[in-house]
Amino acid sequence: MDAASPAKPMRHIASAEDMRRLIVDKLIYSVGKDPQNAVRQDWSAALILAVRDQLVDRWMQSTRKAYREDQKRVYYLSMEFLIGRLLKDTILNLGLEKHVREALASLGRDYEQILRSEPDAALGNGGLGRLAACFLDSMSTLAIPAHGYGIRYENGLFRQSLADGWQTEEPEDWLVTGHNWEFERPEVIYHIPFGGQVVERHDGRRHWQAAEVILAAAYDTPIAGWRGSHVNTLRLWAARPATRIDLASFNRGEYLTAMESAVRAETISRVLYPDDTTDEGKNLRLRQEFFFTSASLQDLLRRFLSDHPDLRQLPDKVAIQLNDTHPAVAVVELMRLLVDEHGMGMDEAYDITRRTLSYTNHTLMPEALERWSLTLFGAVLPRHLELVRWIDEQHLRTAAAAQRSLDLERLRIVDHGNGNGHGVRMGHLAFVGSHRANGVSALHADLMRRTVFHDLDQVYPGRIIGVTNGVTPRRWLHSCNKPLSDLLEETIGEAWIGDLEAIKALEPFADDAAFGERFHAAKRISKERLAAEIEERLGLKVSPDAMFDVQIKRMHEYKRQLLNIMEAVAHYFAIRAEPDRDWTPRLKIFAGKAAPGYQMAKLIIKLINDVARAVNSDPVIGDRLKIAFIPNYNVSLAERIIPAADLSEQISTAGMEASGTGNMKLALNGAITIGTLDGANVEISERVGAQNIHIFGLTAEEIAAHRLAGFDSRAVIEADPILKSVIDAIGSGVFSPEEPGRFRAIVDRLTYDDFFFVTADFAAYLDAQRQVDEGFNDRREWTRRAILNTARVGWFSADRAIRDYAREIWGVDTPPPSAFAEAAE
């Protein structure tokens, strides 16, 4: 079966009546509800189960084909899979929307309401997890046999709410009603050891005597590609205790003690990213990373050995991709399994490991590269510390033989000090233990070579490559933006859904005034929908005629939400000073979560909300400026915001954003970018044209030069009266009169330690925003530029990115894009 031809499941749905019968069948016999008494959540569960049935035969056919043809398999290891809601995407991928809509209507149910009843899977935080989800979609679309491996978090990250403008965190209990897409696999259980000691056996081999063993239980979710021709698996691991209850303690009345080991075990899969500012949090984070990595490696080795008796063939039949440093422990765990469990020699195991693994780096920020103290690492994973030291010695011998003038201490995987404390550098381990290390944009790959991995690049030249990120057009246009998707299909056909680069056929319509009006009307529908939601959620009435200026991403100082809100303050003051000017109406939309222990990011959220409170209630301002911080940002919220955006804020400090994917999603949906030359903004600018994007600020090279020379933000502030007035207002309590010193930490950061160059880029950002205002006032020209953004970003497809991975890293064949274009015709 080729990649573009759909399979025919045994329970084939040929009509709305077929779908209606199947939904009712699932409601009665699987959900256990009488249709007369069923609530919306019951109907949602029944529909999911009915649609899931359409995947099962295709799923099994895909698996059989992989075994029959002995295809090379890809295993994608990631701490996050931000899959969001799956129902609408799967319905569209299978071509069932018409039948589902009609079936639900005949049952007196509203299609959109049922879709919204599906829980939003809280399995990720931001771009890292959403990229993993897009990649699963693309691997299925391209018929690459693949498994995604992660953790089945019971509570996910956290549910964000606002209390007087402050972020508060509550458990994200997305699993409370069950996850109807998944299949529990009770027969798939692996033992995950922790702690203890390593002893030498009588034959001289090393043996790990673990102090604790936790069980990893598998849950599988089928992930369908476009047209449902191939279905892959997302396998998530849940932690279970080896013994659920200490019966002796329980019988003595020591009930809490009896459950202690079970609670400790299950904590591993309880919450995504525990606060690691404490020793306990660090311990849990390391245990989480090893837990899912070990279970995944044991699982894929079992699958490999079921068909291949010789483990030396592993690199020829298996490709393992490490999504950032979280699963970097796979380097030593795979070696441990090969050496300790399968009797292989160290040198051969290391060679197989390197040829099988590859590593995607997502950030050059030191805290995200992870460094575990030797004490913690040795206590949790004593055998792995031995193997890390062994790899480090081989690596240093390679470095010494390279005959370059290199600082061997900087090259070490095991850092012995240099003022930073002892520790295992997980970024170094992932790099050294893989055959490829890729950046996620052209700029990022170049910065990897020039900065954090410079010395390693000298030892292993050619190992670093760039594979620019991409997004799936199925989710991020076809599914989330029906008004625009319908217009595109009517105008240029549907080939772009399976081959996004075909969207370039839209470009000639940019100068068609009539088409421009239809494009604008599609945007207006999305803006009206979002305006209604903002009013419902925040009690803030906003005009769809205003420019919707959007910054939606994880709250972090390098992403510079602070720069955005400071410009809003300056704009607010300017409007108040000249209220009779013809100002361009603007709605600033913020959404994003701050890590629970990241106090500065939380303070910036509070500042945004305090400024919003002042601006939104000021009668002088009216509708000319509104500010909305929408809490609990997740995939479903992004799907509503992105189609409505006019302006895309991509304003990170140059050299610090590896790529970004929000920039791609927003441009694809006709938003014009304002941003720095950072991450994939560089490539977006090249493809959409400099006149169709607003670039400002220092470059990565200029930032690096300022860091070397020393940057004096105080001088910049004193020389810019607008900047000074903004900082003085924030610091003096203009927006926090009840607590004038509330934002003193922000002012001090800007004045004495402006590491993210907010003050340096402020004036340029202000100028760029006024150019944006001028451009937005010319509706026809703005729409023309928006159309060109949509037409020219087809290269930023996850399908293209996966083809690059398949060709440059995994050694896997993929069908040509023409296969999907021909199928669409």
Side-chain angles (χ1 to χ4, degrees):
M1 184 188 306
D2 63 56
S5 60
K8 181 177 180 180
M10 287 186 288
R11 297 189 178 194
H12 181 57
I13 297 297
S15 67
E17 179 58 25
D18 288 345
M19 179 57 73
R20 190 193 71 80
R21 283 199 299 266
L22 185 54
I23 293 171
V24 173
D25 179 84
K26 291 298 178 184
L27 181 68
I28 295 172
Y29 298 107
S30 295
V31 181
K33 280 295 186 77
D34 186 318
Q36 293 183 347
N37 300 319
V39 299
R40 187 184 302 169
Q41 191 64 47
D42 300 325
W43 287 104
S44 173
L47 178 58
I48 290 171
L49 293 172
V51 173
R52 191 184 73 169
D53 275 4
Q54 301 305 295
L55 294 178
V56 173
D57 293 302
R58 305 165 193 254
W59 193 16
M60 292 181 178
Q61 287 169 5
S62 300
T63 302
R64 292 188 195 111
K65 183 173 186 286
Y67 276 106
R68 185 173 64 250
E69 298 181 5
D70 197 19
Q71 295 175 320
K72 188 171 187 178
R73 299 191 182 196
V74 174
Y75 296 99
Y76 198 84
L77 274 60
S78 179
M79 279 283 279
E80 302 182 39
F81 282 95
L82 197 52
I83 56 176
R85 293 168 174 159
L86 292 175
L87 183 54
K88 185 177 182 181
D89 259 23
T90 306
I91 288 171
L92 291 174
N93 279 347
L94 298 180
L96 292 174
E97 185 179 31
K98 182 176 181 293
H99 294 333
V100 172
R101 282 184 178 275
E102 292 178 4
L104 289 175
S106 72
L107 292 164
R109 302 294 153 182
D110 181 83
Y111 177 69
E112 298 296 339
Q113 287 185 350
I114 297 298
L115 292 181
R116 287 195 294 272
S117 299
E118 180 186 5
D120 200 308
L123 296 169
N125 178 26
L128 179 80
R130 187 51 235 173
L131 181 77
C134 283
F135 279 4
L136 286 183
D137 173 283
S138 288
M139 283 187 272
S140 292
T141 294
L142 298 175
I144 296 174
H147 270 64
Y149 279 124
I151 297 178
R152 185 180 180 267
Y153 302 104
E154 291 183 36
N155 295 111
L157 187 64
F158 58 84
R159 180 184 293 115
Q160 180 195 53
S161 56
L162 297 175
D164 190 29
W166 291 101
Q167 171 179 294
T168 62
E169 300 103 25
E170 301 166 2
E172 180 62 90
D173 53 351
W174 72 283
L175 274 174
V176 69
T177 59
H179 186 42
N180 292 300
W181 290 103
E182 71 184 4
F183 292 84
E184 184 177 2
R185 303 301 193 195
E187 77 283 5
V188 181
I189 297 287
Y190 294 102
H191 292 73
I192 313 300
F194 291 101
Q197 60 184 338
V198 182
V199 297
E200 187 168 314
R201 300 191 312 195
H202 66 277
D203 59 1
R205 300 181 72 86
R206 306 289 287 169
H207 174 63
W208 182 12
Q209 293 179 338
E212 177 186 14
V213 173
I214 290 172
L215 305 182
Y219 291 78
D220 289 352
T221 297
I223 304 294
W226 177 233
R227 299 188 180 281
S229 60
H230 185 94
V231 180
N232 279 320
T233 304
L234 172 60
R235 173 160 284 185
L236 301 177
W237 302 105
R240 300 285 183 261
T243 302
R244 283 203 165 271
I245 186 170
D246 180 349
L247 196 56
S249 296
F250 190 88
N251 289 335
R252 289 194 301 268
E254 299 169 357
Y255 305 129
L256 294 180
T257 301
M259 300 300 296
E260 188 174 313
S261 62
V263 171
R264 176 175 166 82
E266 291 171 351
T267 298
I268 286 181
S269 56
R270 189 81 68 190
V271 176
L272 169 66
Y273 294 154
D275 183 354
D276 60 359
T277 58
T278 65
D279 289 342
E280 293 79 5
K282 290 182 175 66
N283 183 290
L284 177 55
R285 178 75 166 266
L286 179 58
R287 285 162 62 89
Q288 283 184 326
E289 293 180 357
F290 178 69
F291 166 79
F292 98 89
T293 299
S294 177
S296 303
L297 292 175
Q298 291 183 59
D299 192 49
L300 69 88
L301 286 179
R302 173 196 58 78
R303 189 175 294 108
F304 173 84
L305 288 169
S306 70
D307 260 15
H308 307 91
D310 188 354
L311 279 167
R312 287 173 294 188
Q313 290 183 293
L314 191 68
D316 301 321
K317 296 298 179 182
V318 167
I320 302 172
Q321 191 70 36
L322 310 180
N323 193 29
D324 218 10
T325 55
H326 309 127
V329 72
V331 175
V332 279
E333 174 63 356
L334 183 54
M335 278 197 66
R336 181 189 75 84
L337 292 170
L338 294 176
V339 172
D340 294 358
E341 303 295 330
H342 295 282
M344 193 174 287
M346 292 282 280
D347 290 326
E348 188 172 34
Y350 185 37
D351 176 66
I352 289 171
T353 295
R354 282 183 301 176
R355 290 193 291 123
T356 305
L357 297 179
S358 47
Y359 160 56
T360 300
N361 174 268
H362 283 280
T363 180
L364 303 179
M365 298 183 70
E367 66 267 26
L369 290 173
E370 292 191 321
R371 177 202 302 260
W372 299 112
S373 75
L374 296 182
T375 300
L376 172 62
F377 198 91
V380 176
L381 303 171
R383 175 57 171 149
H384 298 77
L385 183 56
E386 290 185 345
L387 294 170
V388 167
R389 293 187 187 280
W390 185 90
I391 292 173
D392 203 19
E393 291 306 313
Q394 315 309 307
H395 158 57
L396 290 177
R397 279 196 282 272
T398 301
Q403 297 182 343
R404 298 176 186 270
S405 179
L406 297 169
D407 183 341
L408 294 185
E409 285 303 314
R410 287 211 311 263
L411 282 166
R412 279 187 173 275
I413 299 169
V414 180
D415 175 22
H416 290 281
N418 285 344
N420 295 315
H422 304 275
V424 180
R425 294 170 166 146
M426 301 306 284
H428 278 42
L429 178 62
F431 188 104
V432 170
S434 299
H435 70 281
R436 283 284 184 270
N438 72 280
V440 288
S441 71
L443 175 62
H444 178 222
D446 183 53
L447 289 172
M448 285 175 67
R449 297 185 191 97
R450 291 195 282 120
T451 59
V452 174
F453 296 109
H454 171 75
D455 292 341
L456 290 171
D457 184 53
Q458 300 300 301
V459 179
Y460 306 99
R463 184 165 296 186
I464 297 175
I465 65 171
V467 180
T468 300
N469 283 346
V471 301
T472 169
R474 272 78 64 184
R475 168 82 67 156
W476 294 111
L477 178 49
H478 182 50
S479 175
C480 76
N481 194 346
K482 181 173 174 56
L484 182 55
S485 179
D486 287 349
L487 176 60
L488 295 182
E489 289 183 59
E490 181 184 333
T491 306
I492 61 172
E494 64 173 26
W496 59 270
I497 304 173
D499 174 19
L500 188 56
E501 294 194 63
I503 206 168
K504 63 187 175 185
L506 186 67
E507 188 165 339
F509 293 90
D511 293 313
D512 183 325
F515 178 81
E517 284 301 310
R518 298 181 69 194
F519 191 94
H520 175 79
K523 176 71 71 175
R524 172 77 184 211
I525 293 171
S526 296
K527 292 175 72 173
E528 289 173 350
R529 182 180 68 168
L530 182 59
E533 178 159 352
I534 290 173
E535 184 172 9
E536 180 183 345
R537 293 183 60 167
L538 305 181
L540 177 65
K541 190 171 182 60
V542 300
S543 170
D545 293 322
M547 179 200 310
F548 280 24
D549 173 356
V550 168
Q551 188 173 20
I552 46 174
K553 48 186 79 247
R554 177 169 55 94
M555 297 296 298
H556 198 289
E557 287 172 275
Y558 90 84
K559 294 181 183 289
R560 299 202 296 190
Q561 287 93 347
L562 180 57
L563 176 61
N564 192 348
I565 196 62
M566 287 171 60
E567 188 276 332
V569 171
H571 194 45
Y572 172 53
F573 289 165
I575 297 172
R576 282 192 59 87
E578 297 183 81
D580 296 329
R581 273 185 57 184
D582 187 18
W583 298 97
T584 302
R586 185 186 291 242
L587 167 65
K588 279 192 169 288
I589 297 172
F590 294 87
K593 298 178 181 180
Y598 194 171
Q599 297 306 317
M600 182 58 72
K602 287 184 166 183
L603 190 60
I604 291 170
I605 291 176
K606 175 59 173 169
L607 174 62
I608 292 169
N609 283 293
D610 279 0
V611 173
R613 179 181 59 184
V615 170
N616 296 342
S617 62
D618 192 329
V620 175
I621 301 302
D623 285 337
R624 287 171 289 192
L625 179 62
K626 296 290 186 185
I627 301 172
F629 188 102
I630 309 177
N632 204 40
Y633 182 56
N634 58 17
V635 175
S636 296
L637 181 56
E639 289 172 329
R640 296 190 292 278
I641 293 175
I642 287 171
D646 294 304
L647 186 68
S648 166
E649 297 274 356
Q650 308 298 330
I651 59 176
S652 53
T653 308
M656 304 196 82
E657 185 73 83
S659 171
T661 54
N663 46 7
M664 302 168 189
K665 297 164 192 167
L666 285 154
L668 180 61
N669 283 270
I672 294 175
T673 301
I674 181 169
T676 53
L677 282 175
D678 196 27
N681 291 354
V682 178
E683 292 155 282
I684 291 175
S685 178
E686 292 169 352
R687 291 180 182 272
V688 305
Q691 69 277 23
N692 298 312
I693 191 171
H694 293 270
I695 296 295
F696 74 94
L698 298 174
T699 65
E701 292 76 13
E702 290 167 337
I703 294 281
H706 277 300
R707 291 203 197 285
L708 284 174
F711 173 60
D712 185 359
S713 60
R714 286 172 293 182
V716 173
I717 295 168
E718 291 300 322
D720 186 338
I722 297 178
L723 174 59
K724 189 173 189 307
S725 70
V726 169
I727 293 177
D728 287 347
I730 292 170
S732 64
V734 168
F735 301 103
S736 55
E738 71 280 10
E739 187 185 348
R742 177 180 293 155
F743 302 114
R744 174 52 54 187
I746 290 176
V747 172
D748 288 346
R749 182 68 58 91
L750 294 170
T751 306
Y752 303 111
D753 184 25
D754 188 10
F755 183 79
F756 300 100
F757 291 82
V758 172
T759 56
D761 277 348
F762 179 82
Y765 182 54
L766 211 66
D767 289 344
Q769 289 286 21
R770 300 296 72 82
Q771 292 170 21
V772 167
D773 283 338
E774 184 178 344
F776 189 74
N777 288 332
D778 185 344
R779 193 175 94 177
R780 181 169 177 179
E781 176 60 17
W782 182 275
T783 301
R784 188 187 74 84
R785 296 167 67 206
I787 294 168
L788 289 174
N789 268 266
T790 297
R792 292 176 176 176
V793 295
W795 186 80
F796 297 98
S797 167
D799 300 343
R800 185 271 315 153
I802 288 299
R803 284 193 178 92
D804 289 350
Y805 275 96
R807 181 181 62 253
E808 302 292 335
I809 299 176
W810 301 334
V812 173
D813 293 328
T814 61
S818 58
F820 300 94
E822 291 166 3
E825 293 170 3

